[in-house]
Amino acid sequence: GENVEQHPSTLSVQEGDSAVIKCTYSDSASNYFPWYKQELGKRPQLIIDIRSNVGEKKDQRIAVTLNKTAKHFSLHITETQPEDSAVYFCAGGGGADGLTFGKGTHLIIQP
Amino acid sequence: NAGVMQNPRHLVRRRGQEARLRCSPMKGHSHVYWYRQLPEEGLKFMVYLQKENIIDESGMPKERFSAEFPKEGPSILRIQQVVRGDSAAYFCASSPHPSGNEQFFGPGTRLTVL
C-alpha cells in the first residue's frame, strides 16, 4: 500500500515569510495529492490538490508542486499571515486503496 | 448543499458501554470514509463504505468496531464495549468518486471514555 512521509512536523516562520512543507510517497500508481488544513478543534479542510498529470498548481498565496519521478510533492505558502497557523496534512492516493495521509505539520506564524 | 454532517459532536461513554457515531455524506456523494485522530496525531484510515457495502476495512480493529452505510440513512460507526484507548476524534469524509479523490470532512465526533 501507499506510505506518505511528511516533513517537518513543526514549522515556525515569521509573518510575511514563506513556508514550505514537503511530502514523499511510495506508490507510483498514486495520482492524486490533496492538502488539508486543520485548525484547532476543527475539521480538516481541503485547500488545494494536484493530479499526477500536472507539475504545479497555484491558488493565490498557496501552491503545490509535484515531482513524479522523485515521488515527492510540496506545499508552498507565500506572504504568511496569522490565520495560516494550523496543522497541514498531505495525502496521496487516488487508486483503489483510497487516500493515505501524512502525519501533519504544525505551522506557527510568528508575529 | 449542506456539507458532511456528523452527530453527536461530543460523546461521553463509560468503559464497557457502546458508542454509535453517525455520518451523513454530502448530497450526491455515495462514498464514505471513517478516520480516527488521536490528540496531536494524524488521520488514521479506518474503513471505506459505499451504500450497503464495505469496500475496505483494513484500518478497522478486528474486534468491537463495526461500520455500516445502509441504503437509507446515515453511515454508522459502532464501537462496542468501549475502553479508554478509544477516546479520540472520529471524522468521516465523503466523496463523489470511488478513488477517494476530493474527500470532504465532517466536523467530527469527539469520543471520551471515562
Side-chain angles (χ1 to χ4, degrees):
Chain A
E2 178 64 277
N3 181 43
V4 176
E5 301 279 343
Q6 183 172 349
H7 301 279
S9 57
T10 303
L11 177 62
S12 181
V13 301
Q14 289 293 125
E15 183 179 347
D17 288 351
S18 295
V20 180
I21 302 170
K22 299 180 180 181
C23 288
T24 61
Y25 63 99
S26 61
D27 188 352
S28 55
S30 290
N31 57 20
Y32 175 68
F33 306 94
W35 286 87
Y36 287 83
K37 174 184 180 183
Q38 187 178 29
E39 296 176 40
L40 190 63
K42 301 281 182 66
R43 75 184 79 191
Q45 293 207 300
L46 180 65
I47 56 171
I48 196 166
D49 56 16
I50 192 167
R51 297 177 196 276
S52 58
N53 59 345
V54 174
E56 184 175 357
K57 184 175 177 180
K58 201 170 180 181
D59 182 4
Q60 299 184 330
R61 294 188 298 108
I62 60 172
V64 57
T65 58
L66 170 64
N67 183 326
K68 279 192 67 180
T69 305
K71 295 200 190 78
H72 66 70
F73 57 111
S74 301
L75 178 71
H76 304 252
I77 306 174
T78 59
E79 299 171 20
T80 52
Q81 299 169 4
E83 53 265 36
D84 294 330
S85 293
V87 179
Y88 291 80
F89 294 97
C90 65
D97 294 334
L99 287 178
T100 300
F101 284 79
K103 292 191 175 179
T105 295
H106 188 190
L107 177 61
I108 302 164
I109 308 301
Q110 303 275 10
Chain B
N1 187 7
V4 179
M5 310 286 282
Q6 284 187 254
N7 67 82
R9 296 291 306 277
H10 299 274
L11 182 60
V12 179
R13 284 287 178 266
R14 297 191 182 279
R15 280 179 297 169
Q17 291 185 319
E18 179 180 288
R20 290 169 75 89
L21 288 60
R22 295 174 191 79
C23 170
S24 296
M26 286 178 71
K27 188 177 180 182
H29 289 193
S30 57
H31 305 274
V32 168
Y33 305 80
W34 284 94
Y35 296 87
R36 177 162 64 179
Q37 186 175 41
L38 294 169
E40 304 296 319
E41 291 194 13
L43 295 154
K44 297 284 191 191
F45 166 76
M46 298 181 74
V47 62
Y48 162 37
L49 309 106
Q50 292 179 24
K51 283 285 187 184
E52 298 185 278
N53 284 306
I54 297 174
I55 306 302
D56 180 359
E57 55 182 349
S58 59
M60 197 119 87
K62 295 281 187 282
E63 297 178 354
R64 302 190 297 108
F65 285 72
S66 62
E68 62 177 11
F69 189 13
K71 189 176 179 181
E72 301 291 336
S75 175
I76 295 175
L77 179 67
R78 184 179 174 209
I79 312 172
Q80 295 178 290
Q81 299 172 346
V82 296
V83 301
R84 288 224 174 96
D86 296 333
S87 295
Y90 292 84
F91 289 94
C92 81
S94 74
S95 170
H97 308 290
S99 60
N101 291 5
E102 293 182 274
Q103 294 186 26
F104 295 91
F105 282 81
T109 293
R110 278 152 186 83
L111 172 65
T112 302
V113 179
L114 301 177

